[in-house]
Amino acid sequence: MTGQGDVARRAWCDEAVRRIEADFNRSADTHLIHLPLSRYPGIDLYLKDESSHPTGSLKHRLARSLFLYALCNAWIGPDTTVIEASSGSTAVSEAYFARMLGLRFIAVVPAATAAPKLDAIRFHGGEIHTVDDPRTVYDVAHRLAAETGGHYLDQFTYAERATDWRGNNNIAESIFAQMAEERYSIPNWIVCGAGTGGTSATIGRFLRYRRYATKLCVADPEQSVFHRHFADRSATMLPEGCGSCIEGIGRPRVEPSFVPSVIDRMIAVADADSIGAMRALSDRLGRTVGGSTGTNLWACLRIVEEMAAAGQSGSIVTLLCDGGDRYACTYYRDDWLAEKGIEWGEARNRVSVGIA
């Protein structure tokens, strides 16, 4: 027999879903930017600009999906404290949706997370819980959820299943819709990074479901386990002390949402090359972009060079993951990069020539 409390909780859930869907309905799709390459006239490069979401990054899509998934599984109610382990951008977007629903939100983040990301989480009403060792974010998030009687969204487990990979305006469907009138409407490659693995899983599955010939490349920081696991499934953890400075992508452990079987290729990218590519693209666009976008671009240019050498023409689509304002105190400070020993100048020059 259904109690009055159950009816009220279901009514609250219905209203929560309506609010999230209404917010989506008010938002336009993100832009697809054509980046002409004068040195490669037969190859078209496109940037799917995810920085134009209300919370400024690709993670806005994931946060929306995670909240809807948790709501429709009845894991979140009107008094639930919502917890997430994040390097920053996912938590920014989740704080936005938590405030929309009137829920308390706590982000468990590494202490080294860029300060502007922390400010953005707080701006949207979220609370910050920092940890010195990034490997402990999962356990701490579980503990806080237990202590508060709350729910741990767990992007690293649920990213690959919370998004409908068959369509429903996921990022892959959006890319192909926007490419429809382009010279090479079916991309040769789509290039993305992997943080949770959810984006690559969605794109890879969509390509197979729609029977596109497009191949999926995942660009991964050198100091990440994902490309190691792709080459050798027995590699599941990085050695202690390894780690990349590129926030949002690359992980020390293989996350449950990472699905290597739907990926055609992985390219490992040094942090210095990511930063150099990021700086070069920012110069070209006249606005700053984040480090993971630089990682993507470096991998794209490698594919462009290979296609040109083979006499191939076609198109490549990659993701502009977020803007560079969140990294003003890190990636865009020469003294910070020098302290980290990151020599990025040569990479910037090389990429500047490639995207001229």
Side-chain angles (χ1 to χ4, degrees), residues 75-125:
W75 295 341
I76 291 178
D79 301 313
T80 304
T81 296
V82 180
I83 317 290
E84 184 61 284
S86 171
S87 63
S89 287
T90 303
V92 173
S93 300
E94 289 171 339
Y96 170 90
F97 286 107
R99 183 170 67 176
M100 180 187 298
L101 304 182
L103 300 174
R104 182 187 181 193
F105 177 76
I106 304 174
V108 181
V109 301
T113 300
K117 286 187 178 181
L118 304 182
D119 292 340
I121 293 169
R122 295 188 183 100
F123 174 80
H124 291 296

Side-chain angles (χ1 to χ4, degrees), residues 277-279 281-282 285 287-291 293-294 320 322-325 327 331-332:
M278 173 202 77
R279 291 287 193 104
L281 182 60
S282 296
L285 295 178
R287 60 186 176 96
T288 58
V289 301
T293 301
L320 195 166
D322 59 4
D325 55 323
Y327 311 98
Y331 305 154
Y332 287 95

Side-chain angles (χ1 to χ4, degrees), residues 9-21:
R9 185 182 177 93
R10 179 61 179 269
W12 180 88
C13 180
D14 290 347
E15 173 61 12
V17 171
R18 186 201 65 77
R19 290 186 185 184
I20 293 175
E21 291 295 88

